[in-house]
Amino acid sequence: MNTLRSIVFVVWLYAGMAVIGIGALPTMLLPRRIALGAIALYAQYIRVGLRIICGIRVELRGRENIPDGPLLVAGKHQSMLDVFIPFILFRDPAVIMKRELLWYPALGWYALKTRMVAIDRAGTSKTLKMMLKQGEACAKAGRQLLIYPEGTRTKPGDAPDYKSAGLTALYNRMNVPVLPLATNSGLCWKARGLTRRPGLIVYEALPPLEAGLDRKTMFARLQEELEAASNTLIDEGLAVQGRTRDDLAG
């Protein structure tokens, strides 16, 4: 049954991408904020589809912890959904994404229009310099820049593998607070594969760490707080599904 519902959801997902992507094409000629609104609409569309088709509730917590103005957001990354939720949570988000995605129809157009930060996966020094330059531009424009410190999607409960270089360099260059964004999304929407499991997905914005901290202090605090919060959400999500930590290995 879950497989059938998941197939229907995939049809819903890409049909909505086509309809909203084409229908909102006039926003390419309008101010950038209008195009961001179209992406936020699609994110809400995904959220509705998850609830109706897959039996997955998506809950957003901690909005009161999100300050006004520029911000560096460091998120756990467990599913594709993580890329869309920031457009609901934050006022003017910019997501650090793989440069190859710019070649995708619709997705690439909107990424360019809304000035996402597209980087080379090779991670050369040139890439870092470019990312820092764009991060600084985001800070000056009052935007919220989202980075995934682990660099790729991970399974819930896996040992963390945070990369400090890009995150700490952005933190120093932007000189803004860094907000940890915890989630348990991988419990319902796996990093890879078709099946979506019914349950509860939570995104929780934690209190931001202030600007100007020592790099090592900031990085250690971020990892500790983000892992602790995400693990708490994983336990909550497992309880809703009637599963335990032992089931994560399966």
Side-chain angles (χ1 to χ4, degrees):
M1 185 62 176
N2 277 349
T3 300
L4 177 59
R5 293 166 71 172
S6 297
I7 292 171
V8 173
F9 175 74
V10 169
V11 173
W12 168 278
L13 186 73
Y14 289 104
M17 181 181 291
V19 171
I20 296 175
I22 294 171
L25 278 178
T27 66
M28 298 293 105
L29 304 176
L30 298 173
R32 179 176 56 81
R33 294 287 183 89
I34 308 299
L36 279 171
I39 301 174
L41 174 64
Y42 181 60
Q44 292 285 17
Y45 170 89
I46 295 173
R47 192 178 177 188
V48 170
L50 286 171
R51 181 64 184 268
I52 294 174
I53 300 170
C54 300
I56 299 171
R57 289 189 295 118
V58 180
E59 193 172 303
L60 309 180
R61 300 176 186 172
R63 289 179 186 266
E64 68 279 2
N65 293 323
I66 303 175
D68 294 329
L71 191 65
L72 180 60
V73 181
K76 286 292 289 185
H77 193 18
Q78 297 179 357
S79 74
M80 191 175 81
L81 181 63
D82 306 340
V83 177
F84 294 101
I85 290 300
F87 294 92
I88 302 174
L89 266 178
F90 300 100
R91 181 181 56 83
D92 191 7
V95 178
I96 296 177
M97 57 185 284
K98 295 180 292 187
R99 189 172 62 185
E100 302 94 289
L101 295 177
L102 294 179
W103 295 100
Y104 282 53
L107 179 61
W109 307 336
Y110 286 94
L112 287 170
K113 173 64 180 180
T114 55
R115 299 175 198 161
M116 298 296 110
V117 178
I119 63 171
D120 187 350
R121 295 180 69 180
T124 63
S125 59
K126 183 179 178 180
T127 298
L128 180 60
K129 289 179 182 178
M130 184 275 293
M131 185 172 69
L132 293 179
K133 183 178 179 180
Q134 293 194 46
E136 188 174 28
C138 285
K140 290 179 178 177
R143 302 187 70 185
Q144 299 80 45
L145 179 64
L146 179 70
I147 185 171
Y148 300 109
E150 292 173 281
T152 188
R153 287 172 285 183
T154 59
K155 295 179 181 179
D158 275 4
D161 183 21
Y162 287 65
K163 282 78 174 177
S164 65
L167 173 65
T168 56
L170 279 169
Y171 176 71
N172 274 15
R173 176 68 71 89
M174 294 175 67
N175 193 31
V176 297
V178 56
L179 182 146
L181 182 61
T183 191
N184 61 356
S185 63
L187 293 177
C188 299
W189 187 327
K190 290 185 177 182
R192 291 164 186 81
L194 175 69
T195 303
R196 275 76 178 174
R197 184 189 293 266
L200 173 67
I201 291 177
V202 180
Y203 290 89
E204 184 174 5
L206 306 179
L209 307 178
E210 63 271 26
L213 294 173
D214 172 81
R215 284 191 185 201
K216 289 184 178 179
T217 300
M218 180 280 292
F219 187 71
R221 284 182 55 188
L222 173 77
Q223 181 168 332
E224 179 182 1
E225 294 177 18
L226 188 52
E227 285 302 305
S230 294
N231 281 324
T232 297
L233 295 180
I234 288 170
D235 289 335
E236 180 180 352
L238 286 171
V240 170
Q241 294 177 333
R243 298 198 292 159
T244 68
R245 285 268 176 175
D246 292 338
D247 297 317
L248 292 179

